[in-house]
Amino acid sequence: MSRTNTAQERTPAATGAGVNRWVVLLVLCVSLLLVALDATILHVAVPSLTEDLRPSSTALLWIVDAYPLICASLLILFGTLGDRVGRRRILLLGYALFGIASAVAALATEPGVLIAARALLGVGGAMIMPATLSILRAVFPDRRERATAIGVWTAVAAVGAATGPVLGGFLVEHYWWGSVFLINIPLMALILPLGRRLLPESRGADDGPWDVLGALMAAAGVLGCVLGVKRAGAGDPLLALPTAGPLLLGAALLVLFVRRQRRRPHPLIDMGLFSRAAFTTSVGCIVIGMLALVGLELIAVQYLQLVLGLSPLETGLRLLPLTFAAMAAGATGSYTLRRIGPRRMVGWGFTLTAAAVLLLTFMGQHDRPLLLTVGFVLLGFGLQTTLFSAYESMLSEAPQRSAGGAAAIGETSYQLGAGMGIALLGSVMNAAYAPGLAAVPGVPAEASRAAANSLGEAYQVADQLGGAAGGALHQAARHSFVDGLHVTLFVSAGLLLLGAVMARRLPRMMECPEESAEPVAAESAVRGLSKRAECPAPSGAPEVIAAAESSVLARASEPRVPTTREAIEPAGSGRPAH
C-alpha cells in the first residue's frame, strides 16, 4: 500500500475526530430507518392507492417495483462514487432527493407521476444505503466498537422493514395513502442539516479516474438480474422472454463488468476482495439469509391474512415479536461475536433459524398464537445474528479505501437475496399449492385453473361459484395452501442448513487488530496493544503477541523520516491530509 493511499485512508478519522461517533451512528441509523420503512410501507396502501388513481395492472406493478429495482441497480454506482467524491456528500444529496421525491409521491394524482417519484426514491435510497455503511466503517476503525455499531445498524434495518406494514396500515386507516410518503418530509428536513453538521467526510483512494462506463454496466447488469428474478417471482415462466431476457442480459453485463474491472489499473471494485474466503462467504450468507427472510415473510403474511383472517394491522402486530427478537440479536451481537467468533455465530444463527422454520411447520388451519410467537422470535433472533456477523465480517475484510464498494456489494447482495427469495420460495409454494385444486368436486376446470394462481384468487372464484362447489373450493384452497406452506418451510430449512455449512469458511475467531497502515503513530500502536485482551486470542499465542509488542515498541522508538507533506506542514498546521 502506498504512503499516499495510507494518508487518504486516515483522513476520515482525522476529519471526524471532533464528532462523537455514537452521535454519528444515531444520524446514520435514522436515515437507514427511513429507507427501510419506505421499502415495505407502501404494500398496505396498494388497495387505497388503486381505488384513488385507477392504475392499470402494469402501472401498479411499476408503482410497487420501481423503488427496489432502481435502488438495487444503482447501489454499486453510488457506493463507488462516494469513495471518490466523498461519502458524506453523496449521503446528503440522497437525503435531499429522498425528501423531494417523497413530496412528489404524496401529492401525485397520476400513476405516471407516482412511478417517477418512486424511481427517484430509489435513486435517493441507493445514495443513502451504502454511504451509511461506509461512513460507519470510517468512523469506527476499532473492530470491537464497529461490531457494536453494526449490531445497532442491522437491528434498525430490521425494525424499519418490519414496522413498515404496521405504520402504513395505521396511516392508511386514519388518513390517506399519500401519508405513507408524507412522513418522510419532516424527518428529512431535520436530518439533512444535522447530517451536514455532524457527519464527517470520508473518501477512499482517488488515484485514477472514476470508471463511468463500468458503473453504468454494473447498474444495467444488476437491474436486468433483479427484474428477471422479480418476474420469475411474480409467476412468469422462467424461459419466457420477459423473464429470461433481462436475466441473461444482466448476467452478461455483470460478467463483462468483472472482466473490465480486472483489467483496469484503478477499478471501481477491488475484485481481489472475492479471493478472500471470509468476504465471499459473508456475501453468500447475506444472500441466503435474505432469501429465507423475505420469502418466509411474504408467505407468512398471506397465511395470517388469508388463512387465519387477520387484518393488515393485526398481521403487522403478529410480526412484531420477530422485530423485537432481531433488535435483541443486534444489541447482543458484538458480545457474542467476541465470545464465539464469526464461524460459530453465523453457523449457529443459520441452525437456529432452520429450527424455527421447522417449528413453524406445525401451523395448520387454526390460529396457534403461542406457536407463531415462539417461531417468529427464534426466526428473528437467528437470522439477525447471521446477518449481523456476515455484515461485520464483510466490512472488516474490506480495506477502508474501498469501504463504499464493499458496502454496495453487501447491499446489492441483500436486494438480490430478497428478490431471489420471493422468486424461489414463491415458485415452490405455487408448485405445491396448485395440484390440490386440480380435481375439486363440482368445480369446473376453468375455475380450478384460475383458483390455482393464488389463494386470494381462489377465494374470489369460490365466492362467484357459491353453493356447495364454492364451499368445497374454498376449503380445498385453504388445505392446499397450508400443505404448500409446509413444503416451502422444509425447502427454506434446507437452504438455511446449507448456509450453516458455508459458514465453516469464515474465521474461527474475531481478529480485532486492524489491517496495518504505515506510518503507525507510536502512541496509537501502544494503545492498540494495551487493548489486545478485549478480543479472544487463539491458544498458544502469548509468544507471538509478545514478539509483536516488542517489535512495535522498538519501531516506535526509532526516528521516522517524514514524508514531503509532513516536512512542509508540521503537526498542528490545521490543513487536512490528502
Side-chain angles (χ1 to χ4, degrees), residues 64 153 187 238 272 483 513:
V64 175
W153 186 90
L187 292 175
L238 186 59
D483 292 340

Side-chain angles (χ1 to χ4, degrees), residues 170-182:
F170 173 82
L171 291 173
V172 171
E173 186 174 339
H174 291 84
Y175 302 101
W176 94 109
W177 62 264
S179 60
V180 302
F181 300 109
L182 207 60

Side-chain angles (χ1 to χ4, degrees), residues 151 154-155 158-159 320-331 376-377 380-381 384-385:
T154 54
V159 169
L320 282 182
L322 188 150
T323 304
F324 294 142
M327 293 171 61
F376 287 156
V377 166
F381 192 90
Q384 187 65 21
T385 296

Side-chain angles (χ1 to χ4, degrees), residues 495-509:
L495 291 171
L496 292 166
L497 292 176
L498 175 62
V501 174
M502 284 178 53
R504 295 180 61 84
R505 301 185 67 205
L506 291 172
R508 185 181 298 273
M509 300 303 295

Side-chain angles (χ1 to χ4, degrees), residues 49-50 52-56 59-60 62-63 104-118 177 181:
L49 181 156
T50 303
D52 189 13
L53 298 185
R54 302 292 181 182
S56 65
L60 182 60
W62 279 107
I63 288 173
V104 174
L107 302 176
T109 57
E110 297 291 336
V113 175
L114 184 55
I115 292 172
R118 289 280 288 170
W177 62 264
F181 300 109

Side-chain angles (χ1 to χ4, degrees), residues 43-419:
H43 294 169
V44 296
V46 167
S48 176
L49 181 156
T50 303
E51 184 178 352
D52 189 13
L53 298 185
R54 302 292 181 182
S56 65
S57 58
T58 303
L60 182 60
L61 183 65
W62 279 107
I63 288 173
V64 175
D65 287 345
Y67 175 84
L69 282 174
I70 298 299
C71 184
S73 63
L74 296 179
L75 286 168
I76 292 177
L77 188 153
F78 286 118
T80 55
L81 182 61
D83 285 342
R84 299 301 178 96
V85 305
R87 296 150 186 159
R88 172 179 171 270
R89 181 178 300 175
I90 294 296
L91 182 61
L92 295 179
L93 287 174
Y95 287 163
L97 186 58
F98 207 85
I100 294 172
S102 296
V104 174
L107 302 176
T109 57
E110 297 291 336
V113 175
L114 184 55
I115 292 172
R118 289 280 288 170
L120 285 178
L121 282 170
V123 176
M127 291 180 171
I128 293 171
M129 291 175 71
T132 58
L133 262 183
S134 53
I135 292 176
L136 186 151
R137 173 69 173 82
V139 173
F140 291 91
D142 179 74
R143 185 170 183 180
R144 181 174 180 270
E145 289 188 341
R146 184 167 67 243
T148 302
I150 293 176
V152 175
W153 186 90
T154 54
V156 168
V159 169
T163 56
V166 180
L167 180 60
F170 173 82
L171 291 173
V172 171
E173 186 174 339
H174 291 84
Y175 302 101
W176 94 109
W177 62 264
S179 60
V180 302
F181 300 109
L182 207 60
I183 60 169
N184 295 336
I185 299 174
L187 292 175
M188 283 299 175
L190 174 65
I191 200 173
L192 183 58
L194 282 178
R196 184 175 181 182
R197 179 178 179 83
L198 298 177
L199 295 179
E201 184 59 282
S202 66
R203 292 181 176 88
D206 57 0
D207 49 345
W210 185 57
D211 184 10
V212 179
L213 178 59
L216 294 177
M217 289 174 62
V222 174
L223 177 62
C225 289
V226 175
L227 181 60
V229 166
K230 279 187 169 292
R231 287 188 178 277
D236 292 352
L238 186 59
L239 298 180
L241 183 60
T243 304
L247 273 175
L248 294 176
L249 180 60
L253 286 173
L254 290 179
V255 169
L256 292 175
F257 169 76
V258 171
R259 294 183 61 183
R260 178 180 176 86
Q261 297 308 298
R262 290 186 182 277
R263 293 196 305 265
R264 291 183 63 84
H266 305 292
L268 282 176
I269 294 176
D270 181 10
M271 290 299 161
L273 291 173
F274 290 96
S275 65
R276 303 182 182 187
F279 184 88
T280 306
T281 303
S282 298
V283 170
C285 289
I286 291 172
V287 171
I288 291 180
M290 286 309 302
L291 188 153
L293 177 62
V294 174
L296 288 176
E297 278 192 344
L298 179 66
I299 296 171
V301 167
Q302 295 181 33
Y303 172 78
L304 293 173
Q305 291 188 3
L306 298 179
V307 176
L308 300 186
L310 302 181
S311 68
L313 183 59
E314 291 171 333
T315 299
L317 293 175
R318 284 292 186 95
L319 293 173
L320 282 182
L322 188 150
T323 304
F324 294 142
M327 293 171 61
T332 59
S334 177
Y335 173 81
T336 307
L337 185 64
R338 295 197 308 273
R339 296 289 295 177
I340 67 176
R343 182 186 301 180
R344 290 180 180 176
M345 190 168 180
V346 174
W348 290 359
F350 272 129
T351 303
L352 179 61
T353 309
V357 168
L358 292 176
L359 177 65
L360 292 176
T361 58
F362 289 99
M363 295 186 301
Q365 302 286 328
H366 304 289
D367 192 5
R368 303 180 69 179
L370 181 60
L371 172 67
L372 289 175
T373 301
V374 173
F376 287 156
V377 166
L378 295 179
L379 181 67
F381 192 90
L383 267 180
Q384 187 65 21
T385 296
T386 299
L387 291 174
F388 161 79
S389 188
Y391 267 111
E392 199 282 332
S393 298
M394 181 197 70
L395 278 184
S396 296
E397 282 294 311
Q400 208 287 102
R401 68 180 182 275
S402 56
I409 291 172
E411 292 300 325
T412 304
S413 304
Y414 186 100
Q415 297 288 342
L416 283 175

